[in-house]
Amino acid sequence: MKIYHYCLMIILSSSCTTNFGVINTDPVNGSSIAAGEQLAAAAYLLDGGREMGYPNLYIFQPMVQYVGGTYGMRAGGKYVRDEFYNGLMWSDYYGRCIKQLADLLQQHQEDSTQVNYVAAARILKVYIFSLLTDAYGDIPYSQAGLAYYEKIYTPVYDQQADIYRDFFKELTAAVQQFDDRQPVITNDIVYNGNLTKWKRMARSLQLRLAMRLSGVDPVLARTQVAAAFAGGVMQRNDDNFVMIHEDYNYPDLRGNGYAQALREEEAYRYTIGTTTFVNYLKQENDPRLGKIFVNTDSVTKYLPINPGLYWWEDWKDFVGENGEVVGQANKYCHISAPFYQQGGSWLHMGYAETELLLAEAAVRGWIGEDANVHYQAGLRAAMHQLEMYPGMVPLSDQEIENFVATHTLPANAMEAISMQKWVALFPNGYEAYANMRRTGYPVLNPIMDVNGESETGGHIPKRLFYPAAEALSNPVHYQAAIERLGGRNDWLQPVWWDK
């Protein structure tokens, strides 16, 4: 596809650095680049290339106890600080995605013929900043990406409460800004120029972010949830915010970054389902267990690994009920092949998540809807959602309906919704980590730290620590943010909404 090759020209001209003085320079002569190309590049760079697969695979997925086993997963599975993995979101999102979007908005915000590109860019910008602030807390926001235009080389770290309030303003304004009378978005690798789907994505994102505030500011949360629902959220799986990719190995950025990370040194062979995740799927008789993970034999019955363990630490063979022996190296269930196809798509946000958020909103009384209807719609959508992965054998309609029929919303509704959302989000560890901090689900198992490597005493981090380079490149504003954390770059301090 022509778009990918053009995007690479933009990508290669953008450095990967935590230094705002470098990334906020002339954005590749932006006036000569079409708005659609910059919008596509910003979207595409969210998850293209192995470096953007690392944070999910090695920090966030182990943190929520989806998977464990590999050495790299010590960062999120044992809570060991890793400067490289920790800083990739910061350097790539600021240095690539935000840089493109900030330039697009500066170049075209006054051009009425480009209004649809501007509206879409505003939505995508909110999404990217939401990933950053949910991971790190207070971050450069209002002044980020403006060095070339306004000579702001050391942007202030805005407080998360202020960032969130601006998110809602931006999403509302962007939806209203779309204009069917103006040229449609071409080269649109998100929604192929469909403005209705862009609007639904914006409202669904508004719903997600509003629910994030349920503990810290329930009044604002309820208002924004109601507004998002009234405005029109995702209605089906083809509204999903999905990024497409092509089958290319690292270092080609056209390949799915998560898949590239899994393929590096065959990490997929030791990306093992944890006891927390696998046992929950077994407990619920969930047919997705056999879609997400595979056995290498017929006797281990999806043997999971304890959170925190490397695959070699519990060194003993598995002996089946029939006496069959499975060797240590092959005894655990590992992630299934459809998830490590480099041409596979990546789901950022979907209809299943939206329906489960609406179920929660209904339980809270924030919308006048039947919570169980939304809950079961979310379950169906989540099961069909697996069909997007290359080579995935779909669940039958009967399998899906059997599962849904046995899963009506119970008395402990919040727990049920949160746990099913945890399953539905796989393999998106970014959002699963945020939702876990907000809801308290899943309840994690204690990690097994054989050699005492954990740097938190086994306590799960509440945020990512700021990249070390920020102390040198933006010292004044970095230090102000650090003071708000209690005087040190503490990853055990919660972000603002985590109450």
Side-chain angles (χ1 to χ4, degrees):
M1 288 177 281
K2 185 187 299 182
I3 174 64
Y4 290 150
H5 299 287
Y6 196 94
C7 284
L8 285 177
M9 294 171 62
I10 300 173
I11 294 165
L12 292 173
S13 62
S14 300
S15 61
C16 176
T17 174
T18 56
N19 189 329
F20 276 98
V22 174
I23 68 175
N24 285 321
T25 53
D26 182 354
V28 202
N29 298 314
S31 60
S32 65
I33 301 176
E37 307 293 358
Q38 290 193 291
L39 182 66
Y44 189 68
L45 285 163
L46 271 167
D47 50 71
R50 192 170 73 194
E51 287 186 349
M52 289 320 302
Y54 285 152
N56 186 37
L57 181 59
Y58 294 131
I59 297 178
F60 296 117
Q61 284 193 332
M63 202 93 81
V64 298
Q65 296 185 357
Y66 278 143
V67 295
T70 74
Y71 181 77
M73 291 175 190
R74 65 203 295 265
K78 293 180 184 286
Y79 319 139
V80 178
R81 289 173 66 121
D82 187 296
E83 184 66 37
F84 176 64
Y85 294 149
N86 176 87
L88 285 171
M89 286 179 67
W90 189 283
S91 60
D92 281 12
Y93 288 171
Y94 278 116
R96 294 174 175 176
C97 303
I98 297 302
K99 185 176 182 180
Q100 295 296 337
L101 294 174
D103 183 56
L104 185 161
L105 294 171
Q106 287 290 330
Q107 291 289 336
H108 302 291
Q109 61 187 346
E110 302 300 330
D111 184 350
S112 62
T113 66
Q114 302 292 295
V115 66
N116 291 322
Y117 294 98
V118 170
R122 293 171 81 176
I123 294 167
L124 192 57
K125 189 178 176 186
V126 168
Y127 174 70
I128 296 168
F129 272 122
S130 74
L131 296 178
L132 286 164
T133 190
D134 287 346
Y136 293 98
D138 297 350
I139 56 168
Y141 174 69
S142 59
Q143 297 177 343
L146 298 179
Y148 176 68
Y149 294 99
E150 298 185 18
K151 310 307 178 188
I152 301 174
Y153 300 105
T154 55
V156 67
Y157 281 52
D158 296 271
Q159 295 188 45
Q160 191 175 61
D162 298 328
I163 294 171
Y164 258 78
R165 293 185 184 100
D166 195 66
F167 282 166
F168 299 131
K169 293 177 184 177
E170 279 293 290
L171 290 172
T172 300
V175 168
Q176 295 171 346
Q177 192 174 19
F178 282 116
D179 190 341
D180 293 330
R181 298 166 299 178
Q182 298 299 332
V184 298
I185 304 171
T186 59
N187 225 2
D188 180 1
I189 62 175
V190 180
Y191 287 121
N192 197 30
N194 189 317
L195 301 188
T196 297
K197 292 183 183 295
W198 272 105
K199 292 175 185 178
R200 288 175 179 171
M201 191 271 261
R203 292 302 191 187
S204 297
L205 179 57
Q206 181 181 5
L207 174 64
R208 173 197 276 186
L209 299 179
M211 201 62 79
R212 199 85 87 221
L213 309 188
S214 59
V216 69
D217 192 342
V219 174
L220 178 59
R222 180 173 187 164
T223 300
Q224 292 298 323
V225 164
F229 181 61
V233 294
M234 293 179 182
Q235 301 297 306
R236 57 190 67 89
N237 274 348
D238 64 7
D239 289 335
N240 289 354
F241 175 18
V242 173
M243 197 55 53
I244 57 176
H245 289 281
E246 293 183 88
D247 187 10
Y248 286 94
N249 294 316
Y250 177 82
D252 198 308
L253 297 178
R254 287 171 289 181
N256 180 305
Y258 177 65
Q260 286 185 347
L262 281 167
R263 283 179 175 267
E264 183 183 16
E265 298 182 346
E266 296 186 328
Y268 60 84
R269 294 181 59 198
Y270 307 105
T271 297
I272 301 163
T274 70
T275 53
T276 317
F277 192 36
V278 171
N279 288 347
Y280 177 72
L281 294 173
K282 289 180 177 179
Q283 169 192 312
E284 298 300 309
N285 295 314
D286 195 320
R288 287 171 289 186
L289 173 60
K291 304 300 179 181
I292 297 173
F293 299 110
V294 294
N295 275 329
T296 55
D297 60 86
S298 60
V299 299
T300 53
K301 299 178 182 178
Y302 297 96
L303 182 69
I305 195 168
N306 286 304
L309 282 184
Y310 300 124
W311 70 269
W312 63 85
E313 286 187 308
D314 183 22
W315 193 267
K316 60 185 178 183
D317 295 339
F318 180 88
V319 181
E321 294 176 357
N322 62 355
E324 184 175 341
V325 177
V326 179
Q328 159 69 24
N330 298 310
K331 68 181 182 181
Y332 293 118
C333 67
H334 61 77
I335 193 167
S336 67
F339 292 101
Y340 52 87
Q341 302 311 302
Q342 294 166 147
S345 300
W346 177 258
L347 177 63
H348 287 277
M349 185 172 59
Y351 171 56
E353 178 191 347
T354 300
E355 283 293 333
L356 292 169
L357 286 167
L358 291 176
E360 180 181 346
V363 170
R364 292 179 180 275
W366 291 358
I367 57 172
E369 294 283 308
D370 186 321
N372 188 64
V373 169
H374 287 291
Y375 177 66
Q376 293 191 316
L379 299 185
R380 286 191 189 91
M383 292 188 153
H384 283 298
Q385 184 176 279
L386 292 173
E387 296 163 13
M388 65 175 275
Y389 297 101
M392 181 71 74
V393 178
L395 292 166
S396 69
D397 290 342
Q398 191 61 56
E399 286 178 298
I400 293 173
E401 289 309 313
N402 287 345
F403 183 81
V404 172
T406 59
H407 284 75
T408 55
L409 202 57
N412 56 336
M414 291 299 188
E415 178 180 355
I417 293 167
S418 298
M419 292 298 288
Q420 284 299 322
K421 194 191 303 179
W422 177 49
V423 179
L425 288 170
F426 184 87
N428 187 341
Y430 299 92
E431 179 56 23
Y433 178 55
N435 196 66
M436 181 187 71
R437 285 176 288 162
R438 178 180 73 87
T439 66
Y441 296 106
V443 176
L444 300 180
N445 287 325
I447 65 168
M448 297 191 69
D449 186 18
V450 174
N451 294 312
E453 296 173 87
S454 176
E455 298 179 28
T456 67
H459 299 289
I460 185 170
K462 295 289 190 176
R463 53 181 287 276
L464 299 189
F465 52 90
Y466 294 126
E470 281 294 287
L472 299 175
S473 61
N474 192 3
V476 174
H477 298 307
Y478 166 83
Q479 190 58 42
I482 291 298
E483 290 303 319
R484 292 195 290 271
L485 288 172
R488 62 192 184 93
N489 195 359
D490 187 356
W491 60 342
L492 292 178
Q493 289 296 318
V495 299
W496 165 72
W497 52 254
D498 183 10
K499 305 298 182 185

